[in-house]
Amino acid sequence: MAHLIYSLNMSLNGYCHPEDRVADQSRYEYALEVLLSADAFLLERATYDLLTPYWPDAVSKSDLPKYMQYLALELQSIPKYVVSSQPLRYAWHNTEVICSEGIAQVSQFLNGISGTVVLFDSPALGAALVEAALIDEYHLLVMPFIGTQEKRAFEGVTTRQKLALQDAKKLNKDMALLKYTPEY
């Protein structure tokens, strides 16, 4: 079974809105680091739709900083699995759809793949995977905002889960990265 890392950007009060993010070098370098450690990239349809207008074409943009070019190349090459019940609007190299007939299909996918899979953001899918006890590591990027929009982190989770802090560090002057593992 795959080792699943759930990496979630969230405001201090737990909201997961794209506007409540710091998009700086430290965040992109973290994303590259976690993707380089992974064998596959899992995301829900809404997150895929947020990424595809920019990142597939970023590979050919020579005016980007090196850290963004490296991230664009890694995003292009890593196998991407999108949980969706409808066809994708945008094509992105190395992408496959996993039908979203419920968490059982995602669990079956994770059982059939080895190595590390990283799930970026995707709060609805993340909450379902938390509820099903399928997350092996949590990477919470706490952003310097009090959010007011979108879904909250872990919205819909009804099962209490004890976590053990593995690492905590500042990524920049305002953003923290907290790494946890579940205690089963």
Side-chain angles (χ1 to χ4, degrees), residues 132-146:
L134 293 172
I135 308 289
D136 297 298
E137 284 182 53
Y138 296 85
H139 292 193
L140 305 177
L141 287 97
V142 182
M143 302 292 165
F145 301 102
I146 302 296

Side-chain angles (χ1 to χ4, degrees), residues 68-138:
M68 287 183 72
Q69 290 176 359
Y70 295 143
L71 180 57
L73 287 169
E74 184 58 24
L75 283 167
Q76 184 76 357
S77 66
I78 194 166
K80 291 167 281 301
Y81 298 92
V82 182
V83 178
S84 179
S85 59
Q86 299 175 355
L88 303 176
R89 287 187 288 181
Y90 305 103
W92 195 358
H93 176 72
N94 216 5
T95 301
E96 186 176 323
V97 173
I98 300 173
C99 293
S100 62
E101 309 254 336
I103 202 64
Q105 202 158 5
V106 177
S107 178
Q108 184 178 30
F109 161 75
L110 291 170
N111 277 322
I113 190 171
S114 61
T116 300
V117 174
V118 65
L119 170 67
F120 274 139
D121 294 323
S122 306
L125 176 58
L129 293 168
V130 169
E131 189 70 18
L134 293 172
I135 308 289
D136 297 298
E137 284 182 53
Y138 296 85

